[in-house]
Each structure stands twice: as C-alpha cells, then as structure tokens.
Amino acid sequence: MINTSELIWQDQQHQVLFELIDEIKAAHVDSTTFARLNDYAEHHFLMEEAYMKELGYPEYDSHLSAHNKFRTELQRMIDEHDCYDAGLREMLSAFLSEWLKRHIFGVDKKLEEYILNSERK
Ligand SMILES: [Fe+2]
Ligand SMILES: [Fe+2]
C-alpha cells in the first residue's frame, strides 16, 4: 500500500507546476505550454484521485469537483486562445497562482495530512 517515500510524489509533482508558472511569468509561453500543463494536470489529478479512492477519503467528492473545475477552465482557455499574447499570459498566470493558493496550499495539504495519518494506522 502507501509508504512514506511515496508521499514525496505530491510535493515533487506540485514543483512541476511552480516551474511552469515561473516560465509563464517569464514570458515563455508557446504552443507547448498548454499541452504540458494539460498533461501535467491530468497525470497528477488522476494520481490524487486514485489515492483518495483507495483510502476512502471523506472529501473525495469536493476535491474531485475542484479538479474537474480546473480541467474545464483550462480547456476553455485552450479553446478560446490560439495566440500567445500578453493577455493570455496574464490570465494563465493569475489562474495558476489562484490555484496554488486555494487548492495546493489548501485542500491538497489536507489530503496529504490524511494520507500520512492513515498510513500510521
Ligand atoms: Fe488536488
Ligand atoms: Fe495536487
């Protein structure tokens, strides 16, 4: 099942997002940015969702719907933008910074605590 070393995955994967945000802020947005962001989010979300399911996480539904909201919003931005101008960069970096604050430093931390506590049982 779950062991402590596996817990590092969550922080390591969030680090990938920090790097993407830095890149976007530094004006390096091109056609690969959305694709990488999308791949990253999908891979990471599926992993968190699998952990929540396996452990019977009580806040699974609300956490899943937060992930789904991110998925929908990202897809909307991809559909609506075919050029990579300053406006898009600002919107994307505001969106991701908000996500960091509210999700990664909020509900993801809660999930991490839950995982740590359940492995002590
Ligand atoms: Fe999450
Ligand atoms: Fe996460």
Side-chain angles (χ1 to χ4, degrees):
M1 243 191 84
I2 294 162
N3 62 56
T4 315
S5 63
E6 282 178 43
L7 241 276
I8 297 166
W9 63 263
Q10 208 197 26
D11 277 338
Q12 275 177 349
Q13 291 189 6
H14 290 150
Q15 187 59 37
V16 176
L17 188 61
F18 301 156
E19 285 163 18
L20 269 165
I21 292 174
D22 284 346
E23 206 180 304
I24 292 162
K25 283 184 177 157
H28 294 126
V29 175
D30 61 26
S31 58
T32 71
T33 307
F34 276 134
R36 284 187 294 142
L37 188 55
N38 202 37
D39 285 354
Y40 157 76
E42 217 28 63
H43 174 77
H44 176 64
F45 287 172
L46 287 174
M47 192 170 278
E48 283 190 356
E49 287 156 17
Y51 268 78
M52 288 191 283
K53 251 191 183 161
E54 186 183 335
L55 296 171
Y57 189 52
E59 290 173 44
Y60 175 82
D61 287 345
S62 61
H63 202 127
L64 176 67
S65 83
H67 286 177
N68 285 339
K69 223 178 137 197
F70 183 101
R71 287 170 167 123
T72 305
E73 188 62 18
L74 182 63
Q75 192 55 53
R76 192 187 60 77
M77 284 195 257
I78 292 171
D79 292 344
E80 287 177 4
H81 291 89
D82 49 9
C83 69
Y84 307 95
D85 58 9
L88 173 63
R89 251 178 47 226
E90 261 168 48
M91 188 191 292
L92 197 51
S93 103
F95 171 65
L96 295 175
S97 301
E98 184 64 20
W99 178 259
L100 265 186
K101 256 190 289 169
R102 290 183 42 175
H103 192 88
I104 295 180
F105 295 144
V107 292
D108 276 355
K109 283 283 160 214
K110 248 175 123 177
L111 172 59
E112 184 182 313
E113 265 170 44
Y114 184 84
I115 296 171
L116 281 168
N117 285 330
S118 52
E119 72 181 338
R120 278 193 207 112
K121 277 176 198 157

